[in-house]
Amino acid sequence: MAEFVLDLAENVAGVGVKTSYGEAVDLDGTTVIPVALGWYGFGGGSGTDDEGQSASGGGGGGASIPLGAYVGRGGGDVRFEPNLIGLLLAATPLVWVAGKALKGVIRALKR
């Protein structure tokens, strides 16, 4: 089992933005490097029922949200061009958690 986990880790180590959007692209002296938030997960299990029959299964999946791209022009000028919808998708959970935490801190300070 430990060998399977090591093989799996070796195979998914390179999963990321390059898998979703490819390598950096050079267009007429302008380099475009994609930026994305990506994640993946795997799960599995096995068990037996009351009659002694065993079964097992597993699965995995992932997602990628394009956040924008770094655009580099000749002369060292590099800037980030955001994908506003992607940034909103990525920032919404963060803002929600920060708001809940701030609410808890304010309640604790009022006591």
Side-chain angles (χ1 to χ4, degrees), residues 10-73:
E10 185 177 308
N11 288 332
V12 299
V15 174
V17 176
K18 290 181 183 179
T19 304
S20 299
Y21 301 104
E23 298 282 337
V25 178
D26 189 23
L27 303 169
D28 297 327
T30 301
T31 304
V32 178
I33 303 171
V35 178
L37 173 65
W39 66 93
Y40 53 91
F42 300 94
S46 63
T48 58
D49 63 8
D50 295 336
E51 298 173 2
Q53 297 178 347
S54 64
S56 62
S64 183
I65 299 174
L67 299 179
Y70 283 104
V71 179
R73 293 180 175 77

